[in-house]
Amino acid sequence: MGDNQQPTVVVTGASSGVGLYAAKALAAKGWHVIMACRNLEKAAQAARDVGISPENYTIMPLDLASLSSVRNFVTLFRESGRSLNALVCNAAVYLPLLKEPQWTEDGYELSVATNHLGHFLLCYLMLDDLKQSPAADKRLIILGTVTANRKELGGKIPIPAPPDLGELQGFEAGFKAPIAMINGKPFKSGKAYKDSKLCNMLTARELHRRFHDSTNIVFSSLYPGCVADTPLFRNHYSLFRTIFPWFQKNITGGYVSQELAGERVAAVVADPEFKQSGVHWSWGNRQQKGRNAFVQELSAEGSDDAKARRLWDLSAKLVGVE
Ligand code: NAP
């Protein structure tokens, strides 16, 4: 384990893709990274593969699809004696080809449970760790995405099966089988991912509204660009996995490497120019060399403060911290 004077960041899903390269970039900036992962051997191999120095990271078990695992992770983190400078909610599953929902041990639809509810509980619990940390600069960062934010595309490009939380009827009704969607409508696997990412961005805004003034913690979300060749797309058609990166590189110009996406996340965690709270960062959808970040407006639903409050209350109930 590394030097306790190093600032400490927890990164969920640091065993591949954006999270792994964010861990690498943060370690290079002198941080100690707690790689919060469900597959410890895979995480260890991944850290070795990208060359993170062993003294700069600790791997701890976290399965976001299990509320008890989230609680156990927080206990384990506290036992490490480290104080927390930043939390990055990065892990996600994307299961676009599922015809029927999969359910977690807690009885919730897998994508929303992993991407939103597990992270919601983690944020809720680790808020205490951030509050208690003596650091002056503390941040909680959540990964959003373009397909859950029509504003990013200027509202002009149609998003297939766009996110829509409705009146949160599914959450209101307890979100247990057969209810698999937040709006209570029939299951659509790709939409479940987009709904969960919309929840991620709404959660960052609501954290800011509730806690920024009293704690000075910086809460923000970001879209790191289209990282078209991460394992996120492993459950898609193999033809899609071939064509999508090519399309993003050669047609839209939206392609971002995993390394660059990781560096962007690390900048939002550590760099002074990202100390604004309550905002969503983006580098846009057309990549150019040296492109700077800007504050990206969210869609009408992503900026709906009443919905964010209700989402908070219902999520708290579902994860048992009401
Ligand atoms: P990825 O390579 O598939 O990484 C996802 C990570 O989440 C992996 O480490 C995975 O662990 C972990 N994970 C999945 N389920 C988990 C669970 N139940 N408990 C703990 N960890 C779990 O995907 P990525 O593209 O880097 O995505 C990272 C984030 O970026 C996501 O929030 C995604 O929405 C966002 N994002 C991605 C893109 C893109 O184009 N790729 C664009 C915008 C935003 P395993 O290694 O064990 O599977």
Side-chain angles (χ1 to χ4, degrees), residues 12-19 36-39 42 62-66 89-93 114 143-146 193 197 200 222-234 244 258:
T12 69
S15 54
S16 89
V18 179
C37 298
R38 60 179 170 174
N39 182 334
K42 182 179 175 185
L62 169 66
D63 180 358
L64 286 156
S66 155
C89 296
N90 161 81
V93 285
T114 306
L143 271 284
T145 197
V146 62
Y193 170 79
K197 298 308 292 179
N200 288 156
L222 76 145
Y223 167 54
C226 183
V227 207
D229 53 9
T230 72
L232 186 68
F233 305 100
R234 77 190 95 167
F244 187 54
Q258 299 181 44

Side-chain angles (χ1 to χ4, degrees), residues 120 127 140 142 201-220 276-279 302-313:
F120 178 88
L127 201 53
L140 194 164
I142 309 184
M201 295 185 281
L202 284 166
T203 302
R205 282 174 65 91
E206 183 63 5
L207 280 161
H208 167 76
R209 193 191 67 77
R210 284 181 186 242
F211 302 109
H212 175 67
D213 285 349
S214 59
T215 63
N216 211 27
I217 297 168
V218 169
F219 301 98
S220 62
Q276 198 176 340
S277 186
V279 298
S303 322
D304 183 337
D305 290 339
K307 193 165 277 190
R309 283 174 210 201
R310 227 167 102 63
L311 177 67
W312 179 282
D313 292 339

Side-chain angles (χ1 to χ4, degrees), residues 82-293:
R82 291 184 169 276
S83 61
L84 185 66
N85 299 69
L87 168 62
V88 181
C89 296
N90 161 81
V93 285
Y94 176 47
L95 306 161
L97 303 182
L98 281 187
K99 296 280 176 258
E100 297 295 330
Q102 291 179 357
W103 308 97
T104 65
E105 66 188 28
D106 303 297
Y108 300 136
E109 187 281 320
L110 183 62
S111 314
V112 169
T114 306
N115 305 353
H116 169 58
L117 291 173
H119 275 135
F120 178 88
L121 179 60
L122 186 69
C123 291
Y124 187 96
L125 298 174
M126 296 209 99
L127 201 53
D128 275 345
D129 300 270
L130 285 169
K131 282 183 193 165
Q132 281 160 24
S133 164
D137 183 352
K138 303 184 264 195
R139 305 189 197 181
L140 194 164
I141 315 296
I142 309 184
L143 271 284
T145 197
V146 62
T147 52
N149 182 24
R150 265 179 73 77
K151 274 274 166 72
E152 181 93 51
L153 300 167
K156 289 178 196 131
I157 301 172
I159 296 171
D164 163 24
L165 308 183
E167 297 305 317
L168 304 167
Q169 299 92 326
F171 268 14
E172 179 76 64
F175 202 52
K176 289 270 166 85
I179 302 167
M181 297 300 280
I182 296 175
N183 64 4
K185 292 192 176 164
F187 180 63
K188 283 188 191 166
S189 53
K191 180 177 180 295
Y193 170 79
K194 291 169 219 166
D195 284 353
S196 72
K197 298 308 292 179
L198 177 58
C199 290
N200 288 156
M201 295 185 281
L202 284 166
T203 302
R205 282 174 65 91
E206 183 63 5
L207 280 161
H208 167 76
R209 193 191 67 77
R210 284 181 186 242
F211 302 109
H212 175 67
D213 285 349
S214 59
T215 63
N216 211 27
I217 297 168
V218 169
F219 301 98
S220 62
S221 56
L222 76 145
Y223 167 54
C226 183
V227 207
D229 53 9
T230 72
L232 186 68
F233 305 100
R234 77 190 95 167
N235 297 303
H236 220 308
Y237 296 115
S238 65
L239 189 61
F240 177 90
R241 291 200 303 274
T242 308
I243 290 174
F244 187 54
W246 180 89
F247 185 76
Q248 293 295 340
K249 278 177 192 164
N250 299 299
I251 307 294
T252 68
Y255 173 81
V256 172
S257 68
Q258 299 181 44
E259 196 134 28
L260 179 57
E263 285 164 11
R264 288 176 172 178
V265 173
V268 174
V269 170
D271 291 2
E273 56 270 37
F274 292 95
K275 276 193 80 172
Q276 198 176 340
S277 186
V279 298
H280 178 72
W281 296 105
S282 173
W283 286 257
N285 250 319
R286 302 284 173 271
Q287 303 303 319
Q288 295 146 14
K289 215 174 161 41
R291 181 140 201 189
N292 288 327

